[in-house]
Short mmCIF file of all heavy atoms in Angstrom, two decimals:
data_model
loop_
_atom_site.label_atom_id
_atom_site.label_comp_id
_atom_site.label_asym_id
_atom_site.label_seq_id
_atom_site.Cartn_x
_atom_site.Cartn_y
_atom_site.Cartn_z
N MET O 191 -152.27 -14.26 100.60
CA MET O 191 -153.52 -14.12 101.33
C MET O 191 -153.63 -15.23 102.36
O MET O 191 -153.30 -16.39 102.07
CB MET O 191 -154.69 -14.17 100.34
CG MET O 191 -156.03 -13.99 100.92
SD MET O 191 -156.22 -12.28 101.44
CE MET O 191 -157.90 -12.25 101.89
N ILE O 192 -154.11 -14.91 103.52
CA ILE O 192 -154.31 -15.91 104.56
C ILE O 192 -155.70 -16.51 104.37
O ILE O 192 -156.70 -15.82 104.35
CB ILE O 192 -154.18 -15.26 105.96
CG1 ILE O 192 -152.78 -14.70 106.15
CG2 ILE O 192 -154.51 -16.28 107.04
CD1 ILE O 192 -152.59 -13.94 107.43
N GLU O 193 -155.75 -17.84 104.23
CA GLU O 193 -157.02 -18.54 104.04
C GLU O 193 -157.09 -19.76 104.93
O GLU O 193 -156.11 -20.42 105.19
CB GLU O 193 -157.19 -18.95 102.59
CG GLU O 193 -157.25 -17.77 101.64
CD GLU O 193 -157.43 -18.22 100.19
OE1 GLU O 193 -157.77 -19.38 99.96
OE2 GLU O 193 -157.19 -17.41 99.31
N ASN O 194 -158.29 -20.07 105.36
CA ASN O 194 -158.59 -21.31 106.09
C ASN O 194 -157.77 -21.50 107.36
O ASN O 194 -157.37 -22.59 107.70
CB ASN O 194 -158.40 -22.53 105.16
CG ASN O 194 -159.34 -22.46 103.98
OD1 ASN O 194 -160.50 -22.06 104.13
ND2 ASN O 194 -158.85 -22.81 102.82
N TYR O 195 -157.52 -20.44 108.07
CA TYR O 195 -156.85 -20.55 109.36
C TYR O 195 -157.88 -20.38 110.48
O TYR O 195 -158.74 -19.50 110.39
CB TYR O 195 -155.76 -19.49 109.52
CG TYR O 195 -154.52 -19.80 108.74
CD1 TYR O 195 -154.35 -19.35 107.45
CD2 TYR O 195 -153.50 -20.55 109.31
CE1 TYR O 195 -153.20 -19.62 106.73
CE2 TYR O 195 -152.36 -20.86 108.60
CZ TYR O 195 -152.22 -20.38 107.32
OH TYR O 195 -151.07 -20.68 106.63
N THR O 196 -157.80 -21.21 111.48
CA THR O 196 -158.64 -21.03 112.66
C THR O 196 -157.75 -20.91 113.88
O THR O 196 -156.65 -21.48 113.91
CB THR O 196 -159.61 -22.20 112.85
OG1 THR O 196 -158.87 -23.41 112.98
CG2 THR O 196 -160.57 -22.33 111.70
N ASN O 197 -158.18 -20.17 114.83
CA ASN O 197 -157.44 -19.96 116.08
C ASN O 197 -156.02 -19.41 115.82
O ASN O 197 -155.08 -19.81 116.51
CB ASN O 197 -157.38 -21.26 116.88
CG ASN O 197 -158.76 -21.75 117.23
OD1 ASN O 197 -159.63 -20.95 117.60
ND2 ASN O 197 -158.99 -23.02 117.13
N LEU O 198 -155.88 -18.58 114.86
CA LEU O 198 -154.61 -17.96 114.54
C LEU O 198 -154.50 -16.63 115.30
O LEU O 198 -155.39 -15.81 115.25
CB LEU O 198 -154.51 -17.69 113.04
CG LEU O 198 -153.25 -16.97 112.54
CD1 LEU O 198 -152.02 -17.84 112.74
CD2 LEU O 198 -153.44 -16.59 111.07
N ILE O 199 -153.40 -16.45 115.99
CA ILE O 199 -153.15 -15.17 116.67
C ILE O 199 -152.02 -14.48 115.95
O ILE O 199 -150.94 -15.05 115.71
CB ILE O 199 -152.76 -15.41 118.14
CG1 ILE O 199 -153.93 -16.05 118.90
CG2 ILE O 199 -152.37 -14.10 118.81
CD1 ILE O 199 -153.60 -16.46 120.32
N ILE O 200 -152.25 -13.23 115.59
CA ILE O 200 -151.24 -12.41 114.91
C ILE O 200 -150.88 -11.28 115.88
O ILE O 200 -151.74 -10.54 116.33
CB ILE O 200 -151.78 -11.83 113.60
CG1 ILE O 200 -152.20 -12.95 112.65
CG2 ILE O 200 -150.74 -10.91 112.96
CD1 ILE O 200 -152.94 -12.45 111.42
N VAL O 201 -149.61 -11.17 116.19
CA VAL O 201 -149.11 -10.10 117.06
C VAL O 201 -148.38 -9.09 116.20
O VAL O 201 -147.47 -9.43 115.45
CB VAL O 201 -148.16 -10.66 118.15
CG1 VAL O 201 -147.60 -9.53 119.00
CG2 VAL O 201 -148.87 -11.72 119.00
N ILE O 202 -148.81 -7.83 116.31
CA ILE O 202 -148.18 -6.73 115.60
C ILE O 202 -147.41 -5.91 116.64
O ILE O 202 -148.02 -5.32 117.53
CB ILE O 202 -149.22 -5.84 114.87
CG1 ILE O 202 -150.15 -6.65 113.98
CG2 ILE O 202 -148.52 -4.72 114.09
CD1 ILE O 202 -149.47 -7.35 112.84
N SER O 203 -146.10 -5.85 116.50
CA SER O 203 -145.28 -5.14 117.47
C SER O 203 -144.26 -4.30 116.73
O SER O 203 -143.56 -4.81 115.85
CB SER O 203 -144.59 -6.17 118.37
OG SER O 203 -143.74 -5.52 119.30
N ALA O 204 -144.17 -3.04 117.10
CA ALA O 204 -143.21 -2.13 116.50
C ALA O 204 -143.18 -0.83 117.33
O ALA O 204 -144.09 -0.58 118.08
CB ALA O 204 -143.62 -1.82 115.03
N PRO O 205 -142.16 -0.02 117.11
CA PRO O 205 -142.09 1.25 117.82
C PRO O 205 -143.23 2.18 117.42
O PRO O 205 -143.87 2.01 116.36
CB PRO O 205 -140.75 1.84 117.37
CG PRO O 205 -139.98 0.71 116.80
CD PRO O 205 -140.98 -0.27 116.29
N SER O 206 -143.49 3.15 118.25
CA SER O 206 -144.51 4.16 117.98
C SER O 206 -144.25 4.81 116.63
O SER O 206 -143.11 5.15 116.29
CB SER O 206 -144.48 5.21 119.08
OG SER O 206 -145.44 6.19 118.85
N GLY O 207 -145.31 4.94 115.82
CA GLY O 207 -145.19 5.61 114.54
C GLY O 207 -144.73 4.73 113.39
O GLY O 207 -144.54 5.23 112.28
N ALA O 208 -144.59 3.41 113.65
CA ALA O 208 -144.09 2.53 112.60
C ALA O 208 -145.20 2.07 111.63
O ALA O 208 -144.89 1.47 110.60
CB ALA O 208 -143.42 1.32 113.22
N GLY O 209 -146.46 2.30 111.97
CA GLY O 209 -147.54 1.93 111.07
C GLY O 209 -148.34 0.71 111.50
O GLY O 209 -149.03 0.09 110.71
N LYS O 210 -148.28 0.37 112.79
CA LYS O 210 -149.02 -0.80 113.30
C LYS O 210 -150.51 -0.66 113.05
O LYS O 210 -151.14 -1.61 112.58
CB LYS O 210 -148.77 -0.98 114.81
CG LYS O 210 -147.34 -1.30 115.19
CD LYS O 210 -147.19 -1.44 116.69
CE LYS O 210 -147.50 -0.22 117.48
NZ LYS O 210 -146.58 0.91 117.34
N THR O 211 -151.05 0.52 113.33
CA THR O 211 -152.49 0.72 113.14
C THR O 211 -152.90 0.53 111.69
O THR O 211 -153.91 -0.09 111.39
CB THR O 211 -152.89 2.11 113.63
OG1 THR O 211 -152.55 2.21 115.03
CG2 THR O 211 -154.39 2.36 113.47
N THR O 212 -152.09 1.00 110.78
CA THR O 212 -152.37 0.84 109.34
C THR O 212 -152.39 -0.64 108.97
O THR O 212 -153.27 -1.10 108.25
CB THR O 212 -151.29 1.59 108.52
OG1 THR O 212 -151.34 2.96 108.89
CG2 THR O 212 -151.56 1.45 107.03
N VAL O 213 -151.42 -1.39 109.45
CA VAL O 213 -151.34 -2.82 109.15
C VAL O 213 -152.56 -3.55 109.73
O VAL O 213 -153.18 -4.37 109.06
CB VAL O 213 -150.02 -3.44 109.70
CG1 VAL O 213 -150.05 -4.95 109.61
CG2 VAL O 213 -148.82 -2.87 108.98
N VAL O 214 -152.90 -3.24 110.97
CA VAL O 214 -154.04 -3.89 111.62
C VAL O 214 -155.35 -3.57 110.88
O VAL O 214 -156.14 -4.48 110.62
CB VAL O 214 -154.15 -3.47 113.09
CG1 VAL O 214 -155.47 -3.91 113.70
CG2 VAL O 214 -153.00 -4.04 113.89
N ARG O 215 -155.55 -2.34 110.51
CA ARG O 215 -156.77 -1.98 109.77
C ARG O 215 -156.88 -2.77 108.44
O ARG O 215 -157.95 -3.23 108.08
CB ARG O 215 -156.80 -0.48 109.49
CG ARG O 215 -157.15 0.34 110.71
CD ARG O 215 -157.21 1.81 110.37
NE ARG O 215 -157.48 2.58 111.57
CZ ARG O 215 -157.01 3.80 111.79
NH1 ARG O 215 -156.27 4.41 110.87
NH2 ARG O 215 -157.28 4.42 112.90
N GLU O 216 -155.77 -2.94 107.77
CA GLU O 216 -155.77 -3.65 106.50
C GLU O 216 -156.06 -5.15 106.74
O GLU O 216 -156.81 -5.77 106.00
CB GLU O 216 -154.43 -3.49 105.78
CG GLU O 216 -154.47 -3.85 104.33
CD GLU O 216 -155.45 -3.08 103.50
OE1 GLU O 216 -155.73 -1.88 103.76
OE2 GLU O 216 -155.98 -3.67 102.52
N LEU O 217 -155.46 -5.72 107.77
CA LEU O 217 -155.74 -7.11 108.10
C LEU O 217 -157.22 -7.31 108.43
O LEU O 217 -157.84 -8.30 107.99
CB LEU O 217 -154.88 -7.59 109.29
CG LEU O 217 -153.41 -7.85 109.00
CD1 LEU O 217 -152.65 -8.08 110.29
CD2 LEU O 217 -153.25 -9.04 108.06
N LEU O 218 -157.80 -6.41 109.20
CA LEU O 218 -159.20 -6.51 109.54
C LEU O 218 -160.12 -6.47 108.30
O LEU O 218 -161.14 -7.12 108.26
CB LEU O 218 -159.60 -5.40 110.54
CG LEU O 218 -158.99 -5.54 111.94
CD1 LEU O 218 -159.26 -4.26 112.75
CD2 LEU O 218 -159.56 -6.76 112.69
N LYS O 219 -159.71 -5.70 107.32
CA LYS O 219 -160.48 -5.61 106.08
C LYS O 219 -160.33 -6.89 105.23
O LYS O 219 -161.29 -7.33 104.60
CB LYS O 219 -160.04 -4.42 105.23
CG LYS O 219 -160.54 -3.10 105.72
CD LYS O 219 -160.38 -1.98 104.70
CE LYS O 219 -158.95 -1.72 104.35
NZ LYS O 219 -158.75 -0.52 103.50
N ARG O 220 -159.14 -7.47 105.22
CA ARG O 220 -158.83 -8.56 104.29
C ARG O 220 -159.14 -9.95 104.82
O ARG O 220 -159.32 -10.89 104.04
CB ARG O 220 -157.36 -8.52 103.90
CG ARG O 220 -157.02 -7.35 103.04
CD ARG O 220 -155.55 -7.37 102.70
NE ARG O 220 -155.17 -6.23 101.91
CZ ARG O 220 -154.35 -6.26 100.89
NH1 ARG O 220 -153.79 -7.40 100.55
NH2 ARG O 220 -154.06 -5.17 100.24
N ILE O 221 -159.17 -10.12 106.13
CA ILE O 221 -159.38 -11.46 106.70
C ILE O 221 -160.76 -11.50 107.38
O ILE O 221 -160.96 -10.88 108.42
CB ILE O 221 -158.29 -11.83 107.70
CG1 ILE O 221 -156.90 -11.71 107.06
CG2 ILE O 221 -158.50 -13.24 108.22
CD1 ILE O 221 -155.75 -11.88 108.03
N PRO O 222 -161.70 -12.25 106.78
CA PRO O 222 -163.06 -12.31 107.35
C PRO O 222 -163.05 -12.84 108.80
O PRO O 222 -162.22 -13.69 109.14
CB PRO O 222 -163.77 -13.29 106.43
CG PRO O 222 -162.95 -13.35 105.18
CD PRO O 222 -161.54 -13.05 105.59
N ASP O 223 -163.97 -12.35 109.58
CA ASP O 223 -164.15 -12.78 110.98
C ASP O 223 -162.95 -12.55 111.87
O ASP O 223 -162.83 -13.17 112.91
CB ASP O 223 -164.55 -14.28 111.03
CG ASP O 223 -165.84 -14.55 110.29
OD1 ASP O 223 -166.76 -13.71 110.39
OD2 ASP O 223 -165.91 -15.56 109.57
N THR O 224 -162.06 -11.63 111.49
CA THR O 224 -160.93 -11.31 112.34
C THR O 224 -161.43 -10.44 113.50
O THR O 224 -162.27 -9.57 113.32
CB THR O 224 -159.86 -10.51 111.54
OG1 THR O 224 -159.43 -11.31 110.47
CG2 THR O 224 -158.68 -10.14 112.40
N LYS O 225 -160.88 -10.69 114.67
CA LYS O 225 -161.23 -9.89 115.86
C LYS O 225 -160.01 -9.11 116.28
O LYS O 225 -158.88 -9.54 116.13
CB LYS O 225 -161.65 -10.82 117.02
CG LYS O 225 -162.78 -11.75 116.68
CD LYS O 225 -164.09 -11.03 116.49
CE LYS O 225 -165.23 -12.00 116.34
NZ LYS O 225 -165.75 -12.10 115.01
N TYR O 226 -160.25 -7.93 116.86
CA TYR O 226 -159.19 -7.04 117.31
C TYR O 226 -159.21 -7.02 118.84
O TYR O 226 -160.26 -6.76 119.46
CB TYR O 226 -159.43 -5.64 116.76
CG TYR O 226 -158.44 -4.62 117.24
CD1 TYR O 226 -157.10 -4.68 116.89
CD2 TYR O 226 -158.85 -3.57 118.05
CE1 TYR O 226 -156.21 -3.74 117.33
CE2 TYR O 226 -157.95 -2.62 118.50
CZ TYR O 226 -156.63 -2.72 118.13
OH TYR O 226 -155.74 -1.78 118.59
N SER O 227 -158.10 -7.30 119.44
CA SER O 227 -157.96 -7.27 120.89
C SER O 227 -157.45 -5.89 121.30
O SER O 227 -156.42 -5.43 120.84
CB SER O 227 -156.96 -8.35 121.34
OG SER O 227 -156.74 -8.24 122.73
N ILE O 228 -158.19 -5.24 122.17
CA ILE O 228 -157.85 -3.90 122.61
C ILE O 228 -156.93 -3.99 123.83
O ILE O 228 -157.26 -4.65 124.81
CB ILE O 228 -159.10 -3.09 122.95
CG1 ILE O 228 -160.03 -3.02 121.75
CG2 ILE O 228 -158.73 -1.68 123.41
CD1 ILE O 228 -161.39 -2.43 122.01
N SER O 229 -155.79 -3.33 123.76
CA SER O 229 -154.81 -3.36 124.84
C SER O 229 -155.16 -2.36 125.95
O SER O 229 -155.88 -1.38 125.71
CB SER O 229 -153.42 -2.99 124.31
OG SER O 229 -153.02 -3.95 123.35
N VAL O 230 -154.60 -2.62 127.11
CA VAL O 230 -154.69 -1.72 128.25
C VAL O 230 -153.39 -0.94 128.32
O VAL O 230 -152.31 -1.50 128.13
CB VAL O 230 -154.93 -2.50 129.55
CG1 VAL O 230 -154.85 -1.59 130.76
CG2 VAL O 230 -156.25 -3.22 129.52
N THR O 231 -153.48 0.35 128.58
CA THR O 231 -152.25 1.14 128.73
C THR O 231 -152.41 2.16 129.85
O THR O 231 -153.52 2.62 130.13
CB THR O 231 -151.90 1.88 127.42
OG1 THR O 231 -150.64 2.54 127.57
CG2 THR O 231 -152.94 2.89 127.01
N THR O 232 -151.28 2.48 130.47
CA THR O 232 -151.27 3.52 131.51
C THR O 232 -150.72 4.83 130.96
O THR O 232 -150.66 5.81 131.68
CB THR O 232 -150.42 3.09 132.72
OG1 THR O 232 -149.09 2.84 132.29
CG2 THR O 232 -151.00 1.85 133.37
N ARG O 233 -150.35 4.84 129.69
CA ARG O 233 -149.83 6.10 129.12
C ARG O 233 -150.99 7.05 128.86
O ARG O 233 -152.14 6.66 128.73
CB ARG O 233 -149.06 5.83 127.84
CG ARG O 233 -149.89 5.42 126.65
CD ARG O 233 -149.11 5.65 125.36
NE ARG O 233 -149.82 5.12 124.22
CZ ARG O 233 -150.86 5.67 123.63
NH1 ARG O 233 -151.36 6.81 124.07
NH2 ARG O 233 -151.41 5.11 122.58
N PRO O 234 -150.68 8.33 128.76
CA PRO O 234 -151.74 9.31 128.50
C PRO O 234 -152.39 9.10 127.13
O PRO O 234 -151.75 8.66 126.19
CB PRO O 234 -151.00 10.66 128.53
CG PRO O 234 -149.72 10.41 129.25
CD PRO O 234 -149.38 8.97 128.97
N GLN O 235 -153.65 9.40 127.06
CA GLN O 235 -154.39 9.29 125.80
C GLN O 235 -153.90 10.38 124.85
O GLN O 235 -153.75 11.54 125.22
CB GLN O 235 -155.89 9.47 126.11
CG GLN O 235 -156.82 9.14 125.02
CD GLN O 235 -158.27 9.13 125.49
OE1 GLN O 235 -158.53 9.10 126.69
NE2 GLN O 235 -159.17 9.15 124.58
N ARG O 236 -153.65 9.99 123.59
CA ARG O 236 -153.20 10.92 122.59
C ARG O 236 -154.38 11.51 121.84
O ARG O 236 -155.47 10.95 121.83
CB ARG O 236 -152.27 10.23 121.59
CG ARG O 236 -150.98 9.72 122.23
CD ARG O 236 -150.12 9.02 121.22
NE ARG O 236 -148.94 8.45 121.87
CZ ARG O 236 -148.36 7.35 121.51
NH1 ARG O 236 -148.80 6.67 120.47
NH2 ARG O 236 -147.30 6.91 122.16
N GLU O 237 -154.14 12.64 121.21
CA GLU O 237 -155.19 13.29 120.43
C GLU O 237 -155.75 12.33 119.39
O GLU O 237 -154.98 11.68 118.67
CB GLU O 237 -154.64 14.54 119.77
CG GLU O 237 -155.69 15.36 119.06
CD GLU O 237 -155.15 16.64 118.45
OE1 GLU O 237 -154.24 17.24 119.04
OE2 GLU O 237 -155.66 17.04 117.38
N GLY O 238 -157.06 12.24 119.34
CA GLY O 238 -157.72 11.39 118.34
C GLY O 238 -157.97 9.96 118.83
O GLY O 238 -158.72 9.25 118.16
N GLU O 239 -157.37 9.54 119.89
CA GLU O 239 -157.58 8.19 120.40
C GLU O 239 -158.88 8.15 121.19
O GLU O 239 -159.23 9.11 121.88
CB GLU O 239 -156.42 7.74 121.30
CG GLU O 239 -155.15 7.51 120.51
CD GLU O 239 -154.01 7.05 121.40
OE1 GLU O 239 -153.93 7.50 122.55
OE2 GLU O 239 -153.18 6.25 120.90
N ILE O 240 -159.55 7.01 121.10
CA ILE O 240 -160.84 6.84 121.78
C ILE O 240 -160.71 5.72 122.80
O ILE O 240 -160.28 4.61 122.47
CB ILE O 240 -161.94 6.50 120.77
CG1 ILE O 240 -162.07 7.63 119.75
CG2 ILE O 240 -163.28 6.23 121.48
CD1 ILE O 240 -162.96 7.31 118.55
N ASP O 241 -161.06 6.06 124.06
CA ASP O 241 -161.02 5.08 125.15
C ASP O 241 -161.97 3.93 124.82
O ASP O 241 -163.08 4.15 124.35
CB ASP O 241 -161.39 5.74 126.46
CG ASP O 241 -161.20 4.83 127.66
OD1 ASP O 241 -160.23 4.04 127.67
OD2 ASP O 241 -162.02 4.89 128.59
N LYS O 242 -161.54 2.74 125.08
CA LYS O 242 -162.29 1.49 124.85
C LYS O 242 -162.42 1.13 123.39
O LYS O 242 -163.07 0.15 123.03
CB LYS O 242 -163.64 1.51 125.56
CG LYS O 242 -163.52 1.65 127.06
CD LYS O 242 -164.89 1.73 127.69
CE LYS O 242 -164.80 1.98 129.19
NZ LYS O 242 -164.23 3.24 129.57
N LYS O 243 -161.81 1.91 122.49
CA LYS O 243 -161.77 1.58 121.08
C LYS O 243 -160.34 1.35 120.64
O LYS O 243 -159.99 0.33 120.07
CB LYS O 243 -162.41 2.66 120.21
CG LYS O 243 -162.37 2.35 118.73
CD LYS O 243 -163.03 3.45 117.92
CE LYS O 243 -162.97 3.15 116.45
NZ LYS O 243 -161.70 3.49 115.83
N ASP O 244 -159.48 2.33 120.94
CA ASP O 244 -158.06 2.20 120.58
C ASP O 244 -157.27 1.51 121.68
O ASP O 244 -156.41 0.68 121.41
CB ASP O 244 -157.47 3.60 120.33
CG ASP O 244 -158.14 4.29 119.18
OD1 ASP O 244 -158.18 3.69 118.07
OD2 ASP O 244 -158.68 5.40 119.36
N TYR O 245 -157.56 1.87 122.91
CA TYR O 245 -156.96 1.29 124.11
C TYR O 245 -157.94 1.41 125.26
O TYR O 245 -158.87 2.24 125.19
CB TYR O 245 -155.68 2.04 124.55
CG TYR O 245 -154.52 1.91 123.63
CD1 TYR O 245 -154.29 2.81 122.59
CD2 TYR O 245 -153.59 0.88 123.79
CE1 TYR O 245 -153.21 2.68 121.74
CE2 TYR O 245 -152.50 0.75 122.95
CZ TYR O 245 -152.33 1.65 121.91
OH TYR O 245 -151.25 1.51 121.09
N PHE O 246 -157.70 0.67 126.29
CA PHE O 246 -158.37 0.90 127.56
C PHE O 246 -157.35 1.75 128.37
O PHE O 246 -156.34 1.25 128.78
CB PHE O 246 -158.68 -0.39 128.31
CG PHE O 246 -159.79 -1.18 127.67
CD1 PHE O 246 -159.48 -2.26 126.86
CD2 PHE O 246 -161.12 -0.85 127.88
CE1 PHE O 246 -160.49 -3.02 126.28
CE2 PHE O 246 -162.13 -1.60 127.30
CZ PHE O 246 -161.82 -2.67 126.49
N PHE O 247 -157.65 3.01 128.52
CA PHE O 247 -156.75 3.92 129.26
C PHE O 247 -157.09 3.84 130.75
O PHE O 247 -158.22 4.12 131.14
CB PHE O 247 -156.89 5.35 128.74
CG PHE O 247 -156.42 5.52 127.33
CD1 PHE O 247 -157.36 5.46 126.30
CD2 PHE O 247 -155.10 5.71 127.04
CE1 PHE O 247 -156.92 5.60 124.98
CE2 PHE O 247 -154.67 5.84 125.72
CZ PHE O 247 -155.59 5.79 124.71
N ILE O 248 -156.10 3.41 131.54
CA ILE O 248 -156.30 3.28 132.96
C ILE O 248 -155.15 3.93 133.71
O ILE O 248 -154.07 4.15 133.16
CB ILE O 248 -156.47 1.80 133.41
CG1 ILE O 248 -155.19 1.01 133.13
CG2 ILE O 248 -157.69 1.17 132.74
CD1 ILE O 248 -155.19 -0.39 133.75
N SER O 249 -155.35 4.20 135.00
CA SER O 249 -154.28 4.75 135.82
C SER O 249 -153.32 3.63 136.23
O SER O 249 -153.66 2.45 136.15
CB SER O 249 -154.87 5.41 137.08
OG SER O 249 -155.44 4.38 137.93
N LYS O 250 -152.16 4.02 136.72
CA LYS O 250 -151.20 3.03 137.21
C LYS O 250 -151.79 2.30 138.43
O LYS O 250 -151.56 1.10 138.59
CB LYS O 250 -149.89 3.69 137.57
CG LYS O 250 -149.11 4.11 136.36
CD LYS O 250 -147.76 4.71 136.71
CE LYS O 250 -147.06 5.12 135.42
NZ LYS O 250 -145.76 5.70 135.68
N GLU O 251 -152.55 3.01 139.22
CA GLU O 251 -153.19 2.38 140.38
C GLU O 251 -154.16 1.28 139.93
O GLU O 251 -154.17 0.17 140.50
CB GLU O 251 -153.91 3.41 141.24
CG GLU O 251 -152.98 4.38 141.96
CD GLU O 251 -152.46 5.50 141.04
OE1 GLU O 251 -153.00 5.73 139.93
OE2 GLU O 251 -151.45 6.15 141.44
N GLU O 252 -154.97 1.58 138.92
CA GLU O 252 -155.89 0.56 138.39
C GLU O 252 -155.14 -0.65 137.82
O GLU O 252 -155.55 -1.78 137.98
CB GLU O 252 -156.78 1.18 137.30
CG GLU O 252 -157.81 2.17 137.80
CD GLU O 252 -158.52 2.88 136.65
OE1 GLU O 252 -157.81 3.52 135.84
OE2 GLU O 252 -159.74 2.76 136.59
N PHE O 253 -154.02 -0.35 137.15
CA PHE O 253 -153.21 -1.44 136.60
C PHE O 253 -152.72 -2.37 137.70
O PHE O 253 -152.84 -3.59 137.58
CB PHE O 253 -152.02 -0.87 135.82
CG PHE O 253 -151.09 -1.93 135.32
CD1 PHE O 253 -151.36 -2.61 134.14
CD2 PHE O 253 -149.95 -2.28 136.04
CE1 PHE O 253 -150.50 -3.61 133.68
CE2 PHE O 253 -149.09 -3.25 135.59
CZ PHE O 253 -149.39 -3.94 134.43
N PHE O 254 -152.18 -1.81 138.76
CA PHE O 254 -151.67 -2.62 139.85
C PHE O 254 -152.79 -3.38 140.54
O PHE O 254 -152.60 -4.55 140.95
CB PHE O 254 -150.86 -1.81 140.82
CG PHE O 254 -149.54 -1.32 140.25
CD1 PHE O 254 -149.24 0.02 140.21
CD2 PHE O 254 -148.63 -2.22 139.76
CE1 PHE O 254 -148.04 0.49 139.68
CE2 PHE O 254 -147.42 -1.80 139.20
CZ PHE O 254 -147.13 -0.43 139.16
N GLU O 255 -153.99 -2.80 140.63
CA GLU O 255 -155.14 -3.52 141.19
C GLU O 255 -155.50 -4.72 140.29
O GLU O 255 -155.75 -5.82 140.80
CB GLU O 255 -156.34 -2.59 141.32
CG GLU O 255 -156.24 -1.61 142.45
CD GLU O 255 -157.44 -0.66 142.49
OE1 GLU O 255 -158.51 -0.99 141.94
OE2 GLU O 255 -157.27 0.44 143.08
N MET O 256 -155.49 -4.50 139.01
CA MET O 256 -155.81 -5.60 138.06
C MET O 256 -154.75 -6.69 138.21
O MET O 256 -155.08 -7.89 138.22
CB MET O 256 -155.82 -5.07 136.63
CG MET O 256 -157.00 -4.21 136.29
SD MET O 256 -156.87 -3.42 134.66
CE MET O 256 -156.92 -4.86 133.60
N ARG O 257 -153.50 -6.29 138.25
CA ARG O 257 -152.41 -7.26 138.38
C ARG O 257 -152.56 -8.09 139.65
O ARG O 257 -152.43 -9.29 139.63
CB ARG O 257 -151.07 -6.54 138.40
CG ARG O 257 -149.87 -7.48 138.55
CD ARG O 257 -148.63 -6.78 138.99
NE ARG O 257 -148.82 -6.24 140.33
CZ ARG O 257 -147.95 -5.47 140.96
NH1 ARG O 257 -146.85 -5.10 140.34
NH2 ARG O 257 -148.19 -5.02 142.16
N ASP O 258 -152.84 -7.43 140.76
CA ASP O 258 -152.94 -8.10 142.05
C ASP O 258 -154.14 -9.02 142.16
O ASP O 258 -154.10 -9.98 142.92
CB ASP O 258 -152.93 -7.06 143.18
CG ASP O 258 -151.59 -6.31 143.25
OD1 ASP O 258 -150.59 -6.79 142.71
OD2 ASP O 258 -151.59 -5.22 143.86
N LYS O 259 -155.20 -8.75 141.38
CA LYS O 259 -156.40 -9.56 141.41
C LYS O 259 -156.28 -10.78 140.50
O LYS O 259 -157.07 -11.73 140.65
CB LYS O 259 -157.63 -8.75 141.00
CG LYS O 259 -158.09 -7.76 142.06
CD LYS O 259 -159.31 -7.03 141.57
CE LYS O 259 -159.73 -6.00 142.58
NZ LYS O 259 -160.90 -5.23 142.12
N SER O 260 -155.36 -10.76 139.54
CA SER O 260 -155.27 -11.87 138.62
C SER O 260 -154.69 -13.11 139.28
O SER O 260 -153.94 -13.03 140.26
CB SER O 260 -154.42 -11.49 137.39
OG SER O 260 -153.08 -11.32 137.77
N ASP O 261 -155.04 -14.27 138.76
CA ASP O 261 -154.56 -15.54 139.34
C ASP O 261 -153.29 -15.97 138.67
O ASP O 261 -153.08 -15.97 137.55
CB ASP O 261 -155.64 -16.64 139.19
CG ASP O 261 -156.87 -16.26 140.02
OD1 ASP O 261 -156.71 -15.65 141.09
OD2 ASP O 261 -157.95 -16.63 139.58
#
C-alpha cells in the first residue's frame, strides 16, 4: 500500500487493451486524495468514452494550435 507520499506522479503506460483504465480506477479508490490527469488525444472517440472525462478529444488542427501557442 502506498502511504504518506506527497507530490507523487504515477504514469500508467501500456498498449491499448492492456488494462490501464482498470489499474487507474483501482488506484483512485485505494489512494486518498489522488487526482486523475485527463489526456488530450486526436484519435476518434470510442464507444462509451466521454469527452472531458476519459480524454479531451480534439482535432489535429486544434492540437497544432495548442502546440504553437505553448511556450
Side-chain angles (χ1 to χ4, degrees):
M191 183 71 173
I192 297 175
E193 295 180 17
N194 299 321
Y195 283 92
T196 58
N197 301 319
L198 176 67
I199 296 174
I200 301 171
V201 177
I202 307 296
S203 178
S206 179
K210 296 180 297 292
T211 301
T212 302
V213 170
V214 169
R215 285 183 183 146
E216 196 60 32
L217 285 171
L218 291 170
K219 284 194 297 188
R220 291 179 182 220
I221 305 173
D223 299 320
T224 302
K225 305 290 188 253
Y226 176 68
S227 175
I228 303 171
S229 299
V230 173
T231 185
T232 60
R233 72 161 172 77
Q235 191 170 345
R236 296 178 184 148
E237 185 176 327
E239 291 180 325
I240 300 170
D241 187 37
K242 298 177 184 66
K243 179 179 180 279
D244 298 305
Y245 291 92
F246 289 100
F247 294 96
I248 63 171
S249 68
K250 287 183 181 180
E251 292 78 16
E252 290 172 301
F253 175 82
F254 290 123
E255 285 178 21
M256 289 172 65
R257 179 198 64 186
D258 294 341
K259 288 181 183 177
S260 68
D261 295 326

